[in-house]
Amino acid sequence: MSSANDAVEDARIQYEQHLHACRQCRADSVPCAVAKHLWRLYNTARRDRMRSEGA
C-alpha cells in the first residue's frame, strides 16, 4: 500500500515542480500540455490508490 501512496506523492510533486519550473505555466494561467499530462498521471495514481484501498 505504501507504494501506491508513494506513486501519488511522486506524481503530485512532479506536477507541482513542473508548474514552478515551466515558463509557459508560470506566464499563462492555462497549464501547458506537459502539465496536463502530469496531472493525468497524478489522477491515475490517485484512482489506483483508492482502488487498492477498497479491494
Side-chain angles (χ1 to χ4, degrees):
M1 177 132 27
S2 71
S3 65
N5 288 333
D6 291 344
V8 171
E9 192 65 22
D10 289 344
R12 183 186 62 78
I13 289 169
Q14 287 178 1
Y15 174 73
E16 289 177 355
Q17 286 177 343
H18 175 81
L19 288 180
H20 294 295
C22 177
R23 181 175 54 94
Q24 182 179 347
C25 289
R26 283 185 311 199
D28 300 338
S29 61
V30 179
C32 72
V34 174
K36 290 177 185 179
H37 177 71
L38 291 170
W39 184 251
R40 284 186 207 109
L41 292 175
Y42 169 70
N43 281 335
T44 300
R46 254 187 32 204
R47 274 194 306 268
D48 290 346
R49 181 183 66 184
M50 286 193 270
R51 287 180 186 143
S52 70
E53 289 175 353

